[in-house]
Amino acid sequence: MRRFISTMAQSGPRRFAPLKEVAAGQHHDLPRLQGVIFDVDGTLCQPQNHMFTQMRDVLGISKSVDILEHVYALPTAAQQEEAQEKIRAIERVSMAEQVAQPGLADLMSYLDARRVRKGICTRNFEQPVTHLLTKFLAGHVFHPVVTRDFRPPKPDPAGLLFIARSWGLVRRVRDDRDGRAVRDVVEQAASTPRERQGAVGAGPHGHEEVGDASGLIMVGDSIDDMTAGRHAGAATVLLVNDANRHLADHEHTDLVIERLDELVDVLDRGFVGREIS
């Protein structure tokens, strides 16, 4: 069962201060962007949707079944590992065919110049992510990199909240109900005690605190990306293509771009999401 940490209702479009004004030291009443989290397949590299058809074929499941949910639901650890290796084999072959998204290098150089932190939250396993970073983004720092080894995966917001806390972005747990929601997410999300400590912990005055993603942007190409971002409290950006164009009007999508480097002008002038009713 997926559990989400409840967030404050959105009032008006999401906004961040113009980075060119922030860089110039100008005061701004709008919140400052604290970091950007990226998906991998379909976002940093061009979509390889054929992988998902191949994965479902080797697992014997239909298109309506979530691949990772199917794997995690298998009754024994040995069966889960066998299924994981089947889909990892497909990813290893496909990673050799990765093509960088248009505008990738320009956006990353801009974010580095503006000192904006970058993280990754993906449902891929580690090897194709490392391959992409080495081939196309050498010299650019992404930390942390959350792969599918971190559970639960997107669309659960746990991975994004873990990244937020690792960057020192936290909020105080508001009440008992909020606290129960936090613990439900963390118990599922933390694969190790270290991850549990990173996702939630005691604040300086002894109160419980959890990652706060309200100052972040999640950039992705799927409904899982948009939903994880929205439920984590982040602003969301959809990198649109022919296969996902229907998500442009989805209630979890704040902004739509055709190329990654479109974000350069958007962030420099000040991020403004669309009005969502």
Side-chain angles (χ1 to χ4, degrees), residues 2 5 8 10 28 45 57 73 87 89-90 94 107 111 119 127 133 143 155 172 194 199 209 229 241-242 249 252-253:
R2 294 171 179 152
I5 293 181
M8 297 295 289
Q10 181 173 323
H28 212 289
C45 66
D57 286 344
I87 62 178
I90 292 169
S94 295
L107 174 60
L111 293 176
Q127 189 174 353
L133 295 179
H143 181 78
R172 184 171 180 171
R194 184 177 180 183
E209 61 185 19
N241 57 51
D242 290 341
D249 295 323
H252 293 168
T253 302

Side-chain angles (χ1 to χ4, degrees), residues 27-74:
H27 171 75
H28 212 289
D29 291 333
L30 291 173
R32 180 174 178 173
L33 177 65
Q34 299 295 321
V36 182
I37 301 172
F38 293 92
D39 172 53
V40 174
D41 182 63
T43 302
L44 297 181
C45 66
Q46 292 186 10
Q48 295 182 299
N49 294 330
H50 62 277
M51 284 195 303
F52 307 119
T53 300
Q54 293 172 0
M55 290 175 185
R56 289 188 168 90
D57 286 344
V58 299
L59 295 175
I61 59 176
S62 67
K63 187 176 181 179
S64 63
V65 177
D66 184 274
I67 293 168
L68 294 184
E69 285 188 357
H70 168 78
V71 172
Y72 297 145
L74 292 173

Side-chain angles (χ1 to χ4, degrees), residues 127-160:
Q127 189 174 353
V129 178
T130 300
H131 180 270
L132 181 142
L133 295 179
T134 302
K135 183 175 182 179
F136 301 117
L137 293 168
H140 296 282
V141 176
F142 291 79
H143 181 78
V145 175
V146 173
T147 66
R148 68 164 168 261
D149 289 337
F150 188 101
R151 294 175 59 183
K154 297 176 296 186
D156 197 288
L160 278 68

Side-chain angles (χ1 to χ4, degrees), residues 17-26 110 114 265 267-270:
L19 289 187
K20 64 179 178 181
E21 296 181 11
V22 172
Q26 299 180 30
Y110 168 79
R114 293 299 195 208
D265 190 58
L267 297 179
D268 232 30
R269 294 174 177 270

